[in-house]
Amino acid sequence: MTALFPLSLSTGAFVFAAIALGFFFGFFLERAGFSSSLKLTAQFYFKDWGVLKVMFSAIVVACLGLAWLSLAGIVDFSQIYVPDAYLWPQLAGGLLLGAGFILGGYCPGTAVVAGAIGKLDALFFLGGIFAGIFGFGLVEPSIHSFNVSGALGPLTLPQWLNISHGVGAFALAVIALGAFWAAENSEGKWQLFRKTYGREQ
Amino acid sequence: MPHGLSPGGVSRRDWFRATAATAAATSAATAATPGQRAGKPALQVATNCEMCFWRCGALAKIQDGRVARIEGNPQHPLTLGRLCARGNAGHQTLYDPDRLKRPQLRTGARGEGRFQEVSWDQALDWFAARLTELKNKYGPESVAYLPHGASSGFFGTVMKAFGTPNSAEPAFAQCRGPREVGYALTFGRGVASPEPLDLANARAVVLIGSHIGENVFTSQVTQFSEGLARGAKLIVVDPRFSTAAAKADHWLPIRPGTDIALLLAWINVILSEELEDKEYLAKYAQGLDDLRAHVKPFTPEWASAETELPAGLIRDSARMMAAAKPAVVVHPGRHVTWYGDDTQRSRAMAILTALLGAWGRQGGILLPTTIKRGSFKTPPFPESKRGRADGAGTTYPLASEELGVSNGLIEATLTAKPYPIKGWVVYGQNVLESIPQRERTLSAIRLLDLLVVVDILPVEQTLYADLILPEATYLERYDAPHIVETAARPFISVRQPAVPPMYDSRPGWWIAKAMAARLGLEAWLPWKNPDEHLAKLIEPMGISLGELKARGAVAFEGRPTIEQRIEADGPLFPTESGKIELSSKLLKEIGHDAIPVYRPPADPPPGWFRLLYGRAPVHSFARTENNALLNGLMSENTVWMNDHSARDLGLAAGQRIVLQNADGNESLPISVQPTAAIRKDCVYMVHGFGQQAPGLHKANARGASDNALISRVAIDPIMGSTGMRVNFVRVKPEVQS
Amino acid sequence: MSSATQVQPPLRDLSQRMIKKHHVAIILLHWFNAITWLIELTTGAALISSEHFRFVPVWFVTMITEVSGTRANLLRFHIAAGLTWITVFAVYAIFGWQTYFHQEVLEREVALDKDDFNWLRIRVLRILGRSNEPLPPQGIYNAGQKMFALMVYVMIPVIMGTGLVMAFHWGPMTLVGWAVVLHFAAVAVVVSGLMVHVYMGAVFPEEKPAFFSMLTGMVPEEFAYKHHHKWWKEVKMLEELHAAGLAEPRPVPRPSRLAAALRMKEHWPGYWAGFGLGLTLLATFLIVGQGLGASGGFTRYLAFVLSLVAPGYASAHPYWSNYVQPGQPVLMDFLVFELIGVALGGVVSGWLAGHLKWTTDKGPRISPRTRWALAFLGGAISGAGARLARGCTSGLALSGGSVLSAGAFVFMLSVFAAGFIGAYFLRRIWL
Amino acid sequence: MARYAMVTDLTKCVGCQACTAACNSEWDVPPGHARTHVRPTGAVGKFPDLRSAFYVAQCNHCDDPPCVKPCPSGATFQADNGIVKVDRNLCIGCGFCVQACPYEARYLNPATQKVDKCDFCASRLERGRQPACVTTCTAHAKYFGDLEDSSGDIYRMVYTRGARRIESGEVKVGPNVYYLGRRGEPQLVAAMFPPRLPKLPAAGEWWSKVVKPLALALVGATFAGQAVAFFTQLRKGEGQFDE
């Protein structure tokens, strides 16, 4: 039997699906409170573990779901897009994005949601994104060799560790559960950081 | 759709697609050819067809492990990629849900239909034990073998090795026997099958009762049509306005049974008008003067009274064929067991062919070219001191000892003369439909100690069997290859399985080997598997097994005309005189007419019709009526009746009637087809319907069986065949309630 | 005419009070129904392309067909929406059988009485300016609404039945042929009623409160008093009985849990949102074959602008030419459309929870202007970083993480590292 | 673009139904139905002066196909190469086209409940193969090709050998299946199996002639009423309702 998923969609259905899926994406981001830069940055001050909880529970659900459905033959995992790994630029890009995050209070996706409900700072952040991307486009030719360094192709962690995908997914779930447990038991209890950031407590 | 595309690179999805396509292409190049449906790669196996005995080249296309489709094999030298309706429908027989699935031992009374499924080991052990019992009690000759089909030869070897000479196929005494004898008496060799008729190059074609088109052998139809398209003249002699008659330049709606009168008149016209091929006859024939003297009185005017054909038509048609000489095919017919004078009629046709100089000539009847075959060294078969029981060579002096006289075997079973026949092994034929006089066949069966039926479907005779062995269909088995010498280019074509046998069915070669092992007769089947058998067979042919199996058929150079013959081909006319025998010394010696003599047939009394029968293009005998596709094309037969006769009887089109013969036998209900296309003195139906086999869910009791109405036969005294067109039928008067 | 018996309370008081008219289930059903009708009418009209039967212009058929990709998709979509519609109605019918389908309810909502017939006559005359007669009092639904309900009650089973016959080929060819015709005829009847319904609801000023009641469930008492007097009296009578202690107090309708969750002002617990997000992400993988994202969409938008402003530059530029290729639609990308949905989803969620407001999130020690400048700067750095990493927290970390991409985890590590380290130095901004 | 056509030489055809069987097998046509069928004319005339021929019938892929218009959903359409196709995913099985075909070339497949008919084996053509009926024809009587290819067999048969269409005085829709015959077989077939007048079934007639005009009138009248109400409202202003 050929796998049912992913679907091949006509243009109209594709556009409709994209908007509908985006709708739920935006909806849940807003529900999670990610439309607030205060809530988002609170993660980095160890006051609110929402970012970690939301992000990892989403990853675990999707990851286990995909793994299970592909084991069941319902989804053809080889047809699922896995981002190409570029070790160095991704490391650097992560640092930049993290810095921009703590400086601007949002990341690109959350900024859209925040802007949508009227956060003015998010609108500025969005403007910044366009400027940043444009700027990157300007300098990319001169840093092109760095931009494509460390290319590993669509590598996944299980492939890299030479374990099966299902085991990898399961391991991730276990690690995430551990992290959740740690987060639940530590919210507001981290002495070191309470001292550093404690004024607001 | 460009989604999922990362800048500067091919997405994983696209990459996967590309590699998948390459993988598919690679496998396609090695094992498969571009696919059947939806672009899926399909495996195809070259084999030959067994929906009838013509064995056209076929390609079985396999999808998901099933034969999804059968198409013609363009590499087959005779059939050139064309297949008839039956060939196209072959897989529906393979997947017929009614198939025999497991060996069965009878538990009820004969005909009751109660059986018990057993394993092959149990079945064959039981079979071997019964054969040994019969051998010990009555001698090995007490077992008779009634085979048909490509796979029956292996078991035939076992039967011969077992020690019985009694083997008879309906192909001889119920079919083409008189033709083989009649032509052999004239030219020294029979016509054989497939008939080497050069129809495509003929400038005139004469069909006497042959109904090409309704009777479909793929290559014969192709060549016939090609000939017509090239302008060949067509003369059709048939009481019925057949498909071929509709294409004819002259249709001669002859009074049934008077063909010899017409043939003698034709010969009379040709000789009296000096239209014969004089050079050819002078060189190759003897007895021309006797013939000239013999036919002198048989003028078209004389024949007109007998045949009810206008003398002018007889004369014109004779002149038409003579004008085309020597490129004339006087079709020798195939099923020619009609009136009991069939060998003599075939003789007359052979003589006509000879007068036109058409034997061994382009556009006429071609000569065979021998293909050398390899063989294993096997012990000679045991000689029977008691000889054959069917009368071949004795009662019927010119009957073939290779093909046998099946009605002779039935006679011997009934009378226990010359010695008792106590066991029958019926292999791939349906004796209740293929042999006339059903009641006699059934009486004979009742006298048997052992009846074993090897078949694919639960046909009627399986109800009477002590043991039923389910054979694999032709799409599931290896068979002996089809080696055809009687073609312009002789060839060999292979039968190989497209899919493994379904259920618990077994191929014929396996059954033969397994039985040989049980009877201690392995020495006669000294090969391990069919490949080894085939490899040995083709050893002298200069072809490789792999090539043969991949292409399905390989052709060789032929020397089909007299002009091309070389010494190695042997004598041109292997008769006693070495010439064409227009007057037969041999026939005279054994007390028959040296030149055919016309004897008038009996006419049906008023209110009665002569029963004629024939074939439909979508069915083979009584074998294919249960095939879903073919049944959908034709699920029952009708009885053709002259529209005037039908009106006189008050019968409307489609009305269901019961036919009754002179012995009181009745048919199943059958629809009337009133038509102008048949003479008033006869009715016609397609053979093979009206079967009484409850296991055949689509075919059972659909239409009427001509064989059920053939209770009388006219035995040809020369070779024992059963003339079957001697039965008169009437519409059974309706019983008012 | 029963106006003589009308009680005359002070109207001013009435205009202040709201009384409940529609249960939330009915409201949801109504709007679901409205959307379905919109979809089905559009696709259905475009499905009939035969010259004999078509009733919309060819360009409309072509347009809708092209939006659907193929006509077969159009039919599939029509059937899928229809089946969804039938399913939802079936659920309502099963669970609401006793609520909606007993005689009392039907009499109240569908059956017309003498007042109703008079109302119809006078209503039409009044609209045409031919009468000043006062309108007879009406129940919870006026005669027009009742007539529409009746029409719908009769025609909807016909539409559903014929639709099922066509979709599943129930019956011989002739039956399917007639089903097509009946389907069309029944829809035409409903559409004619629907036109009045929509006009009355959305355009006709007098019924505006009725329109809003389909959003909130509540109508001003004044409206009930004037337009649904009989119903108002029933409500009043019950209230008086309650006040007198003669009847059980009317149970205060509690919003459903789902409604409560949807309208919850606080943020959802992280796991709820995460679970929903995970399912959305999974669905995205299944349907589209890739994950959710954000920065890639921005890049496309920017590339689109570039391709408009400076097409030559964009298609020749070593980086932008990855996106701008002659003859290739720049915006034909999943993330482009997804971002529209993200904004919509944000708005709807914010609206439900009452978060819609122009505000600026900032720490207590900085001014809004500083915050805006920092946000712009942060956005720029994030934008560049996202391009370098080939994805942001959504596209790479979230989606890539779900397929266990090695790059995603590298990226996540460095994001959190930079975040935590940066947080210390930038604590003045936030704390 | 090609213009595909088929020629059947009725002098060669023996009515063996290999074409029907190959087609049924190729397309999984259920028993009792066919995309191409062989209809005998039966014996015509007075014994013994008889004539008969076989009508090898199939979809004619007409220049002006009468089956396209009645199809409500557009499932039946004509491709650029002249092949009239049925989009099975769009067919609802109403059968309007079945009655519209003058050649009775369409049937409702009971297994799929969709209308099915000959499409000149379009999927085989895509793989560079001839239609199944052509390759199997035992009499080599069927020819298939591009009518616009002036060097092809089909062109020669139609334009120089005078292959003819089965048409009648009333029905001339430009069929693209042609018939050859030296003995007047095509004429006999045309006389015995004249194309029937394309017609809509009762449901279709009612729809186009009664239901559609009525529906448009009803909706139009309602719309007009609304328009009157709207303008009255505009004229009076909204205030009047606060009476």
Side-chain angles (χ1 to χ4, degrees):
Chain A
M1 192 192 78
T2 46
L4 283 169
F5 295 104
L7 303 176
S8 23
L9 298 172
S10 68
T11 310
F14 174 72
V15 170
F16 177 81
I19 294 176
L21 291 164
F23 177 90
F24 285 103
F25 185 31
F27 185 89
F28 288 117
L29 282 180
E30 209 286 325
R31 286 283 97 166
F34 284 12
S35 53
S36 159
S37 55
L38 291 172
K39 163 107 179 166
L40 288 167
T41 51
Q43 170 71 58
F44 295 112
Y45 296 103
F46 306 96
K47 294 194 292 188
D48 184 321
W49 288 80
V51 172
L52 182 125
K53 286 191 216 164
V54 171
M55 207 163 143
F56 275 87
S57 46
I59 289 178
V60 166
V61 166
C63 181
L64 285 179
L66 266 184
W68 180 71
L69 289 172
S70 94
L71 268 182
I74 295 168
V75 63
D76 181 359
F77 189 77
S78 62
Q79 300 276 302
I80 300 285
Y81 171 68
V82 173
D84 285 341
Y86 292 89
L87 202 52
W88 308 122
Q90 274 167 346
L91 203 66
L95 291 172
L96 278 179
L97 195 125
F101 197 160
I102 192 64
L103 194 61
Y106 298 102
C107 63
T110 52
V112 176
V113 177
I117 66 160
K119 297 288 169 69
L120 295 167
D121 49 333
L123 296 177
F124 280 95
F125 188 89
L126 288 173
I129 293 176
F130 281 111
I133 295 175
F134 182 70
F136 178 78
L138 286 180
V139 299
E140 199 272 348
S142 46
I143 59 158
H144 184 74
S145 58
F146 175 72
N147 192 28
V148 293
S149 60
L152 297 171
L155 181 75
T156 66
L157 284 183
Q159 283 170 2
W160 182 58
L161 298 171
N162 208 8
I163 56 175
S164 83
H165 193 89
V167 172
F170 183 73
L172 180 78
V174 170
I175 293 168
L177 282 178
F180 294 153
W181 179 83
E184 291 300 335
N185 284 295
S186 67
E187 257 173 47
K189 291 180 192 165
W190 289 40
Q191 292 301 319
L192 169 68
F193 299 109
R194 198 189 281 172
K195 267 179 212 158
T196 315
Y197 302 129
R199 244 176 303 173
E200 259 20 64
Q201 297 270 319
Chain B
M1 195 122 320
H3 60 275
L5 201 78
S6 57
V10 177
S11 84
R12 193 172 132 90
R13 271 177 94 166
D14 293 345
W15 175 82
F16 179 80
R17 280 190 189 129
T19 50
T22 321
T26 318
S27 66
T30 52
T33 51
Q36 182 56 22
R37 280 167 215 170
K40 278 188 199 164
L43 196 74
Q44 64 182 25
V45 174
T47 185
N48 59 46
C49 179
E50 182 89 9
M51 293 300 280
C52 80
F53 45 74
W54 207 255
R55 296 183 211 167
C56 304
L59 294 175
K61 313 246 169 171
I62 297 150
Q63 263 183 341
D64 303 327
R66 284 174 68 89
V67 178
R69 177 92 169 85
I70 302 172
E71 289 196 66
N73 180 3
Q75 307 236 41
H76 192 281
L78 192 61
T79 57
L80 307 168
R82 298 180 186 277
L83 277 184
C84 73
R86 293 158 292 170
N88 273 291
H91 54 310
Q92 298 292 352
T93 291
L94 165 62
Y95 298 120
D96 190 330
D98 291 341
R99 269 180 67 179
L100 293 170
K101 298 179 176 72
R102 271 164 282 280
Q104 296 174 71
L105 268 176
R106 184 165 58 82
T107 55
R110 280 217 171 105
E112 197 185 0
R114 291 224 320 261
F115 292 90
Q116 172 199 349
E117 290 187 348
V118 293
S119 73
W120 275 96
D121 272 340
Q122 285 171 294
L124 296 184
D125 288 346
W126 185 91
F127 187 10
R130 293 293 87 71
L131 284 179
T132 312
E133 265 173 36
L134 286 176
K135 186 178 188 171
N136 294 340
K137 204 163 165 191
Y138 302 105
E141 301 92 337
S142 65
V143 179
Y145 186 48
L146 294 121
H148 186 264
S151 65
S152 62
F154 297 117
F155 201 82
T157 304
V158 176
M159 294 307 287
K160 276 187 210 160
F162 177 72
T164 177
N166 292 317
S167 165
E169 297 195 26
F172 186 75
Q174 281 70 46
C175 193
R176 58 189 170 93
R179 177 189 88 182
E180 300 306 326
V181 174
Y183 278 71
L185 283 166
T186 312
F187 297 111
R189 52 165 61 100
V191 180
S193 173
E195 295 85 18
L197 313 177
D198 197 3
L199 287 160
N201 294 309
R203 279 183 282 131
V205 175
V206 183
L207 302 180
I208 301 170
S210 289
H211 51 333
I212 295 184
E214 286 147 291
N215 176 29
V216 170
F217 306 131
T218 303
S219 57
Q220 203 170 80
V221 171
T222 313
Q223 292 170 9
F224 173 70
S225 292
E226 283 302 326
L228 289 187
R230 287 183 197 172
K233 300 293 182 194
L234 178 62
I235 296 156
V236 174
V237 181
D238 202 317
R240 198 171 56 89
F241 189 65
S242 61
T243 296
K247 302 182 186 302
D249 296 274
H250 290 307
W251 172 43
L252 288 71
I254 194 169
R255 178 163 75 102
T258 64
D259 308 87
I260 294 181
L262 172 67
L263 284 158
L264 291 174
W266 272 348
I267 294 170
N268 171 294
V269 173
I270 288 168
L271 288 179
S272 61
E273 298 186 9
E274 299 191 33
L275 303 173
E276 73 274 19
D277 189 335
K278 293 197 181 91
E279 197 187 328
Y280 179 91
L281 290 172
K283 206 163 162 193
Y284 301 121
Q286 61 92 334
L288 183 60
D289 293 338
D290 291 350
L291 178 67
R292 208 185 295 277
H294 178 79
V295 300
K296 192 115 197 166
F298 306 131
T299 61
E301 286 69 21
W302 164 83
S304 179
E306 294 298 324
T307 59
E308 296 180 7
L309 298 169
L313 182 59
I314 297 174
R315 201 163 265 122
D316 288 348
S317 49
R319 287 171 186 160
M320 181 179 270
M321 64 181 94
K325 73 173 182 291
V328 181
V329 173
V330 178
H331 196 302
R334 186 155 181 122
H335 171 85
V336 291
T337 52
W338 300 348
Y339 302 105
D341 59 359
D342 306 303
T343 306
Q344 289 293 15
R345 186 182 64 251
S346 296
R347 273 272 297 152
M349 289 160 72
I351 290 167
L352 181 63
T353 302
L355 292 184
L356 296 167
W359 183 266
R361 307 290 282 275
Q362 193 183 16
I365 299 181
L366 301 174
L367 300 173
T369 312
T370 308
I371 299 175
K372 285 204 188 78
R373 324 170 184 202
S375 59
F376 287 94
K377 282 215 166 55
T378 53
F381 293 118
E383 282 279 336
S384 165
K385 289 188 195 78
R386 293 197 279 176
R388 296 181 66 96
D390 61 357
T394 51
T395 318
Y396 312 119
L398 298 184
S400 158
E401 300 204 11
E402 180 60 35
L403 294 168
V405 183
S406 23
N407 42 302
L409 275 182
I410 291 172
E411 182 77 21
T413 309
L414 285 167
T415 58
K417 282 176 187 143
Y419 49 80
I421 300 285
K422 286 296 183 185
W424 285 7
V425 179
V426 179
Y427 194 117
Q429 69 154 308
N430 185 351
V431 290
L432 294 174
E433 291 296 334
S434 60
I435 302 173
Q437 298 179 298
R438 271 171 58 92
E439 285 70 24
R440 283 171 64 84
T441 310
L442 282 170
S443 304
I445 285 175
R446 278 183 210 107
L447 295 174
L448 293 175
D449 287 354
L450 176 67
L451 174 61
V452 178
V453 173
V454 185
D455 212 317
I456 286 163
L457 290 165
V459 294
E460 187 181 355
Q461 66 189 7
T462 58
L463 295 175
Y464 300 91
D466 302 311
L467 174 65
I468 305 170
L469 296 177
E471 199 189 10
T473 66
Y474 73 96
L475 291 164
E476 302 161 309
R477 68 186 193 219
Y478 282 100
D479 278 339
H482 193 212
I483 299 179
V484 172
E485 300 179 334
T486 52
R489 299 184 67 214
F491 64 90
I492 174 170
S493 111
V494 287
R495 165 80 43 78
Q496 48 185 340
V499 287
M502 291 179 70
Y503 316 116
D504 205 6
S505 66
R506 292 282 192 277
W509 66 266
W510 183 92
I511 299 174
K513 291 272 293 179
M515 278 303 286
R518 280 168 172 77
L519 296 167
L521 307 171
E522 292 106 320
W524 280 273
L525 297 172
W527 33 271
K528 281 197 282 297
N529 54 49
D531 263 1
E532 207 178 286
H533 174 253
L534 186 56
K536 186 78 184 176
L537 200 65
I538 64 170
E539 235 169 41
M541 296 183 193
I543 51 174
S544 83
L545 189 60
E547 182 198 5
L548 180 60
K549 289 172 84 168
R551 296 177 55 184
V554 174
F556 307 98
E557 277 312 300
R559 292 174 296 279
T561 61
I562 288 178
E563 293 79 8
Q564 294 165 315
R565 296 305 266 194
I566 57 171
E567 201 156 323
D569 291 325
L572 263 182
F573 302 103
T575 52
E576 211 180 293
S577 61
K579 288 194 159 192
I580 302 170
E581 302 204 336
L582 299 177
S583 171
S584 171
K585 221 173 100 196
L586 178 57
L587 277 178
K588 194 164 194 164
E589 275 169 15
I590 61 170
H592 295 284
D593 301 321
I595 301 173
V597 171
Y598 168 70
R599 290 181 180 84
D603 273 334
W608 293 75
F609 303 90
R610 187 182 294 275
L611 174 66
L612 303 180
Y613 52 87
R615 303 189 65 184
V618 300
H619 285 296
S620 290
F621 316 134
R623 277 164 56 170
T624 57
E625 285 72 12
N626 208 55
N627 177 299
L629 200 163
L630 300 175
N631 187 277
L633 296 181
M634 182 182 186
S635 58
E636 59 178 73
N637 56 357
T638 59
V639 57
W640 292 36
M641 184 181 284
N642 183 277
D643 44 4
H644 292 98
S645 310
R647 199 184 325 136
D648 294 346
L649 288 167
L651 298 176
Q655 192 172 336
R656 292 185 90 77
I657 57 167
V658 169
L659 294 173
Q660 199 178 36
N661 76 359
D663 292 326
N665 292 20
E666 286 180 10
S667 75
L668 294 177
I670 182 170
S671 305
V672 184
Q673 184 180 342
T675 172
I678 191 165
R679 288 171 55 96
K680 287 181 183 176
D681 52 3
C682 46
V683 291
Y684 170 85
M685 67 172 76
V686 168
H687 170 75
F689 290 91
Q691 298 185 48
Q692 299 182 38
L696 300 175
H697 287 95
K698 294 185 198 74
N700 185 40
R702 302 296 297 273
S705 166
D706 55 324
N707 205 41
L709 297 168
I710 300 176
S711 56
R712 298 181 183 183
V713 294
I715 305 273
D716 189 317
I718 300 172
M719 42 62 73
S721 69
T722 51
M724 299 186 232
R725 295 189 175 166
V726 295
N727 290 271
F728 299 143
V729 297
R730 64 173 176 178
V731 177
K732 188 189 176 190
E734 275 190 80
V735 186
Q736 300 288 336
S737 55
Chain C
M1 205 74 40
S2 53
S3 56
T5 61
Q6 275 186 14
V7 199
Q8 291 286 342
L11 285 181
R12 189 146 306 169
D13 291 356
L14 290 185
S15 67
Q16 302 302 315
R17 283 191 55 206
M18 300 294 275
I19 54 178
K20 185 167 170 64
K21 185 173 183 189
H22 300 299
H23 189 266
V24 66
I26 294 296
I27 299 173
L28 286 175
L29 182 64
H30 175 268
W31 292 111
F32 166 75
N33 202 14
I35 292 169
T36 310
W37 269 92
L38 199 66
I39 292 170
E40 292 297 69
L41 276 178
T42 315
T43 51
L47 267 174
I48 302 175
S49 67
S50 156
E51 274 180 44
H52 291 305
F53 315 119
R54 180 168 48 76
F55 61 96
V56 290
V58 176
W59 64 259
F60 183 82
V61 174
T62 315
M63 182 185 77
I64 300 298
T65 303
E66 275 172 14
V67 167
S68 312
T70 64
R71 292 192 58 75
N73 279 351
L74 184 60
L75 178 63
R76 284 194 195 105
F77 194 45
H78 187 81
I79 292 174
L83 289 176
T84 314
W85 186 58
I86 292 174
T87 312
V88 168
F89 267 75
V91 169
Y92 268 79
I94 291 163
F95 290 103
W97 186 254
Q98 290 175 325
T99 318
Y100 305 124
F101 288 91
H102 60 80
Q103 199 186 344
E104 198 183 313
V105 173
L106 290 177
E107 271 174 15
R108 217 158 73 114
E109 298 185 357
V110 184
L112 283 89
D113 60 18
K114 201 174 137 226
D115 282 341
D116 290 331
F117 287 112
N118 279 324
W119 185 92
L120 280 175
R121 182 176 53 82
I122 298 167
R123 176 77 272 174
V124 172
L125 290 175
R126 281 176 67 108
I127 285 177
L128 296 174
R130 296 296 171 89
S131 168
N132 276 318
E133 249 182 286
L135 288 161
Q138 295 285 290
I140 186 165
Y141 293 110
N142 67 35
Q145 290 165 329
K146 282 182 178 177
M147 272 185 53
F148 183 57
L150 189 63
M151 192 185 268
V152 165
Y153 278 26
V154 174
M155 290 305 163
I156 279 189
V158 175
I159 294 169
M160 288 179 172
T162 51
L164 288 172
V165 165
M166 287 187 282
F168 298 109
H169 314 284
W170 288 340
M173 224 155 54
T174 321
L175 183 70
V176 176
W178 277 108
V180 184
V181 183
L182 274 178
H183 197 72
F184 175 83
V187 169
V189 169
V190 175
V191 164
S192 70
L194 207 53
M195 289 173 73
V196 181
H197 177 75
V198 171
Y199 173 78
M200 289 308 240
V203 185
F204 197 61
E206 206 174 331
E207 293 287 338
K208 246 176 209 161
F211 176 74
F212 286 108
S213 76
M214 257 309 157
L215 294 172
T216 62
M218 311 295 270
V219 285
E221 193 170 350
E222 180 193 7
F223 176 78
Y225 174 80
K226 279 190 182 168
H227 293 268
H228 302 278
H229 193 76
K230 289 179 186 170
W231 174 58
W232 177 82
K233 277 204 291 190
E234 283 170 28
V235 174
K236 272 291 152 210
M237 201 182 294
L238 266 176
E239 278 181 4
E240 277 161 22
L241 287 174
H242 300 153
L246 294 174
E248 289 294 308
R250 267 181 83 160
V252 180
R254 271 211 344 224
S256 71
R257 278 196 182 185
L258 180 66
L262 289 177
R263 305 195 64 126
M264 186 168 143
K265 203 164 172 65
E266 300 76 31
H267 301 140
W268 280 4
Y271 304 119
W272 290 20
F275 186 73
L277 206 54
L279 287 184
T280 308
L281 184 55
L282 182 58
T284 310
F285 279 120
L286 295 190
I287 294 169
V288 192
Q290 70 173 86
L292 297 160
S295 60
F298 290 119
T299 315
R300 290 263 166 197
Y301 283 123
L302 192 58
F304 178 66
V305 173
L306 285 176
S307 74
L308 289 184
V309 178
Y313 167 80
S315 58
H317 190 271
Y319 187 74
W320 293 113
S321 59
N322 287 325
Y323 299 93
V324 183
Q325 291 278 317
Q328 294 234 354
V330 181
L331 289 182
M332 198 57 230
D333 183 83
F334 172 70
L335 296 179
V336 165
F337 301 105
E338 180 231 44
L339 278 182
I340 299 172
V342 172
L344 287 175
V347 171
V348 170
S349 166
W351 175 67
L352 285 170
H355 293 162
L356 292 186
K357 201 181 174 193
W358 294 115
T359 52
T360 298
D361 283 346
K362 63 174 189 62
R365 290 193 262 174
I366 56 170
S367 70
R369 285 183 184 226
T370 316
R371 168 76 188 104
W372 296 342
L374 289 173
F376 186 86
L377 188 62
I381 296 172
S382 295
R387 276 354 284 151
L388 194 57
R390 293 161 180 80
C392 59
T393 21
S394 316
L396 187 54
L398 187 66
S399 302
S402 302
V403 291
L404 301 175
S405 154
F409 285 93
V410 168
F411 176 74
M412 263 188 267
L413 270 174
S414 60
V415 168
F416 278 96
F420 283 111
I421 294 164
Y424 177 78
F425 295 106
L426 297 173
R427 57 187 183 279
R428 218 186 80 84
I429 304 178
W430 297 109
L431 298 177
Chain D
M1 203 68 228
R3 186 67 175 88
Y4 289 123
M6 195 171 278
V7 176
T8 304
D9 186 338
L10 295 182
T11 297
K12 291 173 99 180
C13 172
V14 296
C16 74
Q17 300 191 66
C19 49
T20 310
C23 177
N24 284 12
S25 174
E26 179 84 21
W27 296 107
D28 289 330
V29 177
H33 296 280
R35 287 160 66 121
T36 176
H37 26 180
V38 179
R39 297 178 181 140
T41 62
V44 177
K46 222 173 153 271
F47 189 92
D49 293 317
L50 300 172
R51 294 199 301 152
S52 78
F54 293 100
Y55 179 27
V56 184
Q58 65 194 84
C59 172
N60 281 277
H61 303 277
C62 306
D63 295 334
D64 181 19
C67 51
V68 169
K69 270 192 220 165
C71 175
S73 63
T76 288
F77 64 101
Q78 188 160 33
D80 293 340
N81 54 19
I83 298 181
V84 176
K85 293 183 178 175
V86 180
D87 183 343
R88 279 218 249 169
N89 293 321
L90 193 52
C91 175
I92 55 172
C94 69
F96 288 6
C97 59
V98 175
Q99 290 215 22
C101 176
Y103 299 97
E104 298 176 55
R106 292 166 166 265
Y107 73 100
L108 187 83
N109 185 323
T112 60
Q113 289 288 323
K114 308 288 172 97
V115 169
D116 188 28
K117 67 162 195 77
C118 161
D119 64 355
F120 276 162
C121 280
S123 59
R124 286 171 66 102
L125 299 183
E126 282 165 22
R127 298 197 303 269
R129 301 204 57 198
Q130 293 257 300
C133 57
V134 173
T135 58
T136 209
C137 177
T138 62
H140 199 172
K142 292 197 108 185
Y143 302 84
F144 177 83
D146 182 0
L147 202 50
E148 291 172 358
D149 172 11
S150 58
S151 61
D153 280 351
I154 294 291
Y155 184 94
R156 188 171 47 81
M157 288 176 185
V158 170
Y159 294 115
T160 66
R161 288 185 58 197
R164 52 165 289 167
R165 301 164 145 181
I166 305 295
E167 287 180 310
S168 71
E170 295 84 49
V171 184
K172 284 192 187 298
V173 290
N176 279 293
V177 174
Y178 293 79
Y179 297 89
L180 275 174
R182 281 186 298 156
R183 300 172 185 277
E185 291 94 338
Q187 288 81 352
L188 178 63
V189 164
M192 297 302 287
F193 299 102
R196 55 179 191 187
L197 278 173
K199 60 167 187 178
L200 275 177
E205 286 289 336
W206 272 80
W207 188 3
S208 66
K209 304 235 168 82
V210 182
V211 177
K212 184 180 151 189
L214 273 182
L216 290 181
L218 177 66
V219 174
T222 319
F223 186 80
Q226 295 293 284
V228 171
F230 180 64
F231 285 113
T232 314
Q233 178 192 327
L234 279 186
R235 193 159 45 82
K236 285 192 177 173
E238 298 200 1
Q240 66 121 355
F241 297 100
D242 279 353
E243 62 197 271

